[in-house]
């Protein structure tokens, strides 16, 4: 068993772990810390993305050891995304079972003595409504088993939540979270050089940042603050920015904002959801090269390192909690509703100081025409707004306003619509007919936007999903569906229609890269989905990040539309 010696304030537990996979078995059936390992596995990684266990459902058993030089009063096991349900134990002692796929977990371990310790984890990727409420068989993306972005042991759970109170003067409010005292004097050191004395009352202090600079996509300026109080120090990075929804527009730091981007899955054919940092950087570079400024993180909490990179590179982010097409039978389940509220609240807290995150979303394409759906949406929105995180609240709506009863809860109206591709099975005809359908058809951009405005809704409107599939390397000069030529024509028509409508404030194309979906109905437990190659093939790039022909179309269209209202 591999050991690690703790010498610093936090211990990375990434690397080689002992491993065993039990196909078809639950945590309750096989979750024994003394299991007989069959091999070593890397953490982070997805075990069901590996050839030996490809697409298999069951429970992965993990174990590794580490050593502490000194005893600690408490520690926190930090998991930055895992799937789907995890049971954790320290030296055989239960730490809890956590049913939150993709979420950042901070699990208290209690006191730990000096010396050697053994950490055990059982990760169950099966679909079982009794034990797994948040991941369903009919979600249109593959839900992986494993540790997505790493495991660590931390020894200080104090945090500083930074809120911009006035971007014009650099005034911020700092909330001291998990401190023993609520009222105390402190010294703040900004950017390693500017010292400010302050007093915290009821956990909070309001100060002006010396020599402040605003954060924006064009100028992604970041600050650090080091707090010293009672001989202890804590450092946090943040950005000063304010996002607003008013006058039917989006505004960032008082300037009109236009979003140009795409939906991004945390996925790769080799790595599954355990995407390495180099791939995250590549996606950001590709987005910027298109002239884009925005990623919608579909459809789950984002990795902290990815959000760091978005902060540093000036990429705006919509972060949403896990959900997809959820229905009334779920809304009437008390535990499902509790977990939805809890995972969304904890997502906001985990990404609190990331200035790149401007939207908080939830329950993609849920049945928003139902009173049960509205009741849950009200609970989630209330929980998010209570945190006062400086983000706008929205969700992606595919009802096209036909019977929706939830849009009044949102700061931003977000539209998912696929005229001529999903829901309208008539032939699109030639390119001109396709363009008309995308713009003026029953579910076209202008038609859906007009319906919202006819109901007196004054929120900003964005297109949160619109696109079509194109198979990489499949060509037809006559523009047959599923070819790169058809995808180019369709997405080009979408961008023309969106950019021509003055009521629309931006778009996230569906989607940035191809991503795996479920491949056999008998494995997923649902009806056989019409997904060639078991993938959603609407990516501008394929899963390996090879560009399709549509990339040049998007680059041209994005280049002709500035990031504000000016052409």
């Amino acid at each position: 068993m591999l050991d690690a010696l703790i010498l610093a304030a936090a211990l990375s537990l990434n690397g080689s772990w002992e491993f065993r996979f039990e196909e078809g078995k639950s945590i309750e059936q096989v979750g024994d810390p003394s299991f007989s390992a069959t091999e070593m596995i890397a953490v982070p990684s997805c075990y069901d993305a590996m050839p030996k266990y490809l697409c298999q459902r069951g429970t992965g058993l993990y174990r590794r050891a580490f050593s502490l030089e000194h005893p600690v009063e408490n520690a926190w096991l930090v998991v930055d995304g895992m799937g789907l349900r995890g049971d954790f134990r320290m030296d055989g002692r239960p730490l809890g079972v956590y049913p939150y796929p993709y979420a950042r977990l901070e699990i208290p371990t209690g006191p730990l003595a000096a010396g050697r310790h053994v950490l055990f984890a059982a990760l169950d990727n099966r679909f079982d409504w009794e034990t797994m409420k948040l991941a369903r068989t009919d979600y249109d993306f593959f839900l992986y088993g494993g540790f997505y972005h790493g495991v660590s042991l931390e020894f200080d759970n104090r945090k500083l939540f930074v809120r911009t109170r006035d971007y014009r003067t650099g005034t911020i409010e700092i909330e001291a979270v998990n401190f023993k005292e609520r009222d105390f004097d402190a010294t703040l050191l900004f950017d390693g050089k500017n010292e400010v004395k302050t007093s915290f009352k009821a956990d909070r202090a309001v100060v002006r940042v010396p020599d402040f600079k605003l954060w924006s996509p064009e100028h992604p300026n970041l600050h650090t603050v080091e707090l010293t109080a009672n001989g202890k120090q804590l450092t946090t990075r943040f950005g000063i920015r304010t996002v607003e929804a008013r006058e039917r527009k989006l505004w960032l730091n008082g300037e009109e904002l236009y979003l140009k981007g795409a939906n991004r899955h945390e996925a790769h054919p080799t790595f599954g959801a355990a995407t390495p940092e180099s791939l995250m950087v590549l996606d950001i570079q590709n987005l910027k090269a298109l002239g884009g400024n925005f990623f919608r993180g579909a459809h789950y909490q984002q990795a902290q390192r990815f959000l760091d990179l978005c902060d540093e590179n000036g990429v705006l982010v919509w972060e949403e909690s896990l959900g997809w097409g959820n229905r009334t039978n779920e809304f009437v389940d008390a535990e499902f509703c509790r977990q939805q509220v809890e995972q969304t609240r904890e997502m906001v807290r985990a990404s609190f100081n990331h200035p790149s995150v401007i939207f908080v979303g939830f329950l993609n394409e849920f049945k928003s025409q139902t009173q049960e759906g509205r009741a849950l949406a009200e609970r989630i929105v209330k929980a998010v707004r209570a945190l006062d995180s400086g983000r706008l609240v929205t969700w992606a709506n595919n009802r096209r306003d036909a019977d929706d009863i939830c849009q009044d809860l949102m700061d931003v109206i977000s539209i998912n619509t696929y005229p001529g591709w999903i829901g309208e099975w008539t032939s699109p005809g030639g390119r001109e007919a396709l363009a008309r359908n995308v713009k003026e058809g029953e579910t076209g951009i202008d038609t859906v936007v007009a319906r919202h405005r006819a109901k007196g809704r004054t929120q900003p409107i964005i297109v949160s999903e619109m696109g079509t599939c194109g198979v990489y390397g499949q060509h037809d000069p006559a523009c047959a569906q599923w070819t790169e030529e058809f995808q180019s024509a369709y997405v080009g028509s979408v961008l023309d229609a969106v950019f021509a409508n003055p009521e629309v404030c931006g778009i996230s194309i569906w989607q940035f890269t191809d991503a795996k979906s479920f491949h056999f109905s008998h494995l997923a437990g649902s009806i056989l989905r019409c997904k060639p190659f078991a993938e959603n093939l609407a990516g501008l790039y394929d899963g390996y990040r090879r560009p399709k022909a549509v990339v040049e179309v998007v680059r041209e269209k994005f280049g002709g539309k500035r990031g504000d209202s000016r052409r």
Side-chain angles (χ1 to χ4, degrees):
M1 193 181 303
L2 298 183
D3 288 28
L5 181 65
I6 173 64
L7 296 172
L11 170 66
S12 171
L13 296 175
N14 293 344
S16 295
W17 290 53
E18 293 182 291
F19 182 76
R20 180 185 187 93
F21 180 69
E22 294 283 359
E23 185 175 6
K25 301 294 182 62
S26 69
I27 289 172
E28 291 73 18
Q29 290 174 300
V30 298
D32 180 1
S34 63
F35 71 93
S36 296
T38 58
E39 60 207 295
M40 306 300 292
I41 196 169
V43 171
S45 70
C46 295
Y47 57 76
D48 49 3
M50 297 178 177
K52 187 174 182 179
Y53 307 114
L54 187 65
C55 298
Q56 294 184 31
R57 296 284 157 185
T59 296
L61 306 177
Y62 294 76
R63 185 174 58 221
R64 73 159 300 163
F66 63 92
S67 294
L68 299 178
E69 273 193 337
H70 307 287
V72 295
E73 293 182 0
N74 203 354
W76 288 264
L77 181 66
V78 178
V79 179
D80 194 5
M82 60 94 194
L84 297 174
R85 185 171 65 112
D87 177 10
F88 301 92
R89 307 184 201 184
M90 184 71 73
D91 301 323
R93 177 169 46 88
L95 302 181
V97 179
Y98 293 81
Y100 297 107
Y102 290 92
R104 178 180 173 87
L105 305 176
E106 297 185 7
I107 304 169
T109 68
L112 296 176
R116 189 171 185 271
H117 297 273
V118 178
L119 175 61
F120 165 81
L123 302 186
D124 184 348
N125 73 346
R126 298 173 313 110
F127 298 104
D128 179 351
W129 177 244
E130 295 303 316
T131 59
M132 173 43 58
K133 303 289 187 180
L134 299 181
R136 305 303 300 275
T137 57
D138 56 354
Y139 287 10
D140 191 9
F141 49 95
F142 196 89
L143 289 148
Y144 290 92
F147 289 111
Y148 300 159
H149 294 105
V151 183
S152 62
L153 198 64
E154 298 187 359
F155 302 91
D156 187 352
N157 75 330
R158 296 177 305 155
K159 296 178 175 60
L160 301 177
F161 286 173
V162 181
R163 298 174 173 90
T164 299
R165 289 310 187 200
D166 189 339
Y167 69 87
R168 296 163 297 185
T169 62
T171 301
I172 63 172
E173 180 185 79
I174 303 176
E175 180 183 357
V177 179
N178 297 328
F179 281 57
K180 291 182 178 179
E181 298 179 355
R182 302 194 66 193
D183 301 333
F184 58 90
D185 296 328
T187 300
L188 304 176
L189 185 65
F190 288 96
D191 305 318
K193 59 184 178 181
N194 298 309
E195 189 173 281
V196 175
K197 302 287 187 180
T198 191
S199 295
F200 280 76
K201 302 294 183 184
D203 303 322
R204 303 194 181 203
V206 176
V207 298
R208 288 189 178 185
V209 178
D211 303 325
F212 76 93
K213 295 180 180 179
L214 297 179
W215 186 95
S216 69
E218 297 77 19
H219 304 287
N221 299 301
L222 295 167
H223 292 282
T224 60
V225 57
E226 180 185 273
L227 179 149
T228 301
N230 301 321
K232 295 183 178 181
Q233 294 179 334
L234 182 63
T235 301
T236 294
R237 191 173 75 170
F238 66 97
I240 299 174
R241 66 103 181 98
T242 296
V243 60
E244 300 173 275
R246 54 181 171 83
E247 301 168 3
R248 301 188 179 190
K249 302 289 185 182
L250 294 170
W251 305 83
L252 184 68
N253 303 329
E255 297 185 0
E256 195 171 329
L257 174 66
Y258 199 97
L259 302 176
K260 299 180 294 182
N263 290 264
R264 176 183 180 271
H265 268 301
E266 196 72 71
H268 185 274
T270 301
F271 307 115
T275 53
E277 183 173 340
S278 59
L279 193 71
M280 298 176 185
V281 171
L282 177 60
D283 285 351
I284 290 172
Q285 290 176 344
N286 283 339
L287 175 73
K288 303 277 280 190
L290 291 176
N293 62 3
F294 177 58
F295 272 131
R296 178 182 174 218
H299 298 289
Y300 34 75
Q301 184 172 337
Q302 300 297 287
Q304 288 299 299
R305 186 58 188 139
F306 178 69
L307 295 179
D308 287 339
L309 292 167
C310 289
D311 293 342
E312 295 161 7
N313 289 278
V315 174
L316 301 160
V317 176
W318 164 330
E319 188 177 28
E320 70 185 33
S321 52
L322 179 60
W324 194 90
N326 302 99
R327 304 176 178 88
T328 302
N329 66 308
E330 295 164 278
F331 304 149
V332 298
D333 185 282
E335 183 61 15
F336 172 84
C337 294
R338 187 196 69 78
Q339 290 183 15
Q340 281 290 344
V341 174
E342 179 69 11
Q343 68 156 345
T344 309
R345 180 191 293 114
E346 292 306 309
M347 177 188 75
V348 174
R349 290 174 60 85
S351 61
F352 203 95
N353 291 332
H354 289 289
S356 58
V357 181
I358 61 170
F359 293 158
V360 174
F362 57 89
L363 291 176
N364 174 69
E365 296 183 350
F366 76 99
K367 298 301 183 256
S368 59
Q369 74 275 30
T370 66
Q371 289 295 335
E372 294 86 355
R374 180 180 174 90
L376 177 54
E378 288 176 341
R379 288 177 60 185
I380 295 174
V381 171
K382 181 179 179 180
V384 171
R385 290 191 170 138
L387 294 171
D388 188 19
S389 67
R391 284 81 179 263
L392 302 175
V393 180
T394 189
W395 63 277
N397 175 13
N398 68 341
R399 305 304 302 172
R400 307 177 185 99
D401 201 46
D403 50 6
D404 175 87
I405 60 172
C406 297
Q407 285 299 324
D408 61 297
L409 302 174
M410 301 298 104
D411 296 316
V412 177
I413 295 171
S414 301
I415 298 168
N416 289 3
T417 187
Y418 294 86
W421 184 251
I422 298 177
E424 293 180 39
W425 300 107
T426 57
S427 171
R431 290 178 185 240
E432 292 183 1
L434 173 64
R436 285 196 302 272
N437 196 25
V438 165
K439 183 176 174 62
E440 303 169 357
E442 179 63 22
T443 59
I445 293 296
D446 290 358
T447 305
V448 177
V449 169
R451 288 195 194 116
H452 282 286
R453 292 304 186 217
K455 292 192 174 183
R457 293 171 180 159
T458 60
Q459 301 107 308
I461 295 175
I462 67 171
V463 176
S464 42
E465 287 185 26
M466 203 169 182
T468 194
C469 292
V471 179
Y472 178 81
Q474 191 68 39
H475 295 281
D476 178 12
C479 207
Q481 288 193 15
W482 297 96
T483 64
E484 292 191 36
E485 287 77 12
F486 178 80
Q487 184 185 34
S488 296
Y490 189 100
V491 172
S493 297
V494 165
L495 294 178
D496 286 342
V498 168
F499 292 161
N501 192 313
E503 295 292 330
V504 179
C505 301
I507 180 171
S508 52
I509 298 168
W510 186 265
Q511 59 182 345
F512 196 62
T513 69
D514 293 347
K516 188 176 183 62
S517 188
F518 289 103
H519 64 312
F520 284 131
S521 60
H522 74 271
L523 289 181
S526 63
I527 63 171
L528 185 64
R529 300 185 62 84
C530 299
K531 295 293 178 184
F533 319 121
E535 292 188 45
N536 191 314
L537 296 166
L540 307 179
Y541 301 81
D542 77 350
Y544 294 99
R545 276 53 178 178
R546 296 178 296 184
K548 302 178 189 177
V550 69
V551 162
E552 291 307 315
V553 174
V554 174
R555 194 190 319 275
E556 177 187 353
K557 303 293 185 182
F558 276 9
K561 178 67 175 178
R562 298 187 57 161
D564 56 22
S565 62
R566 298 167 289 177
R567 297 296 193 271

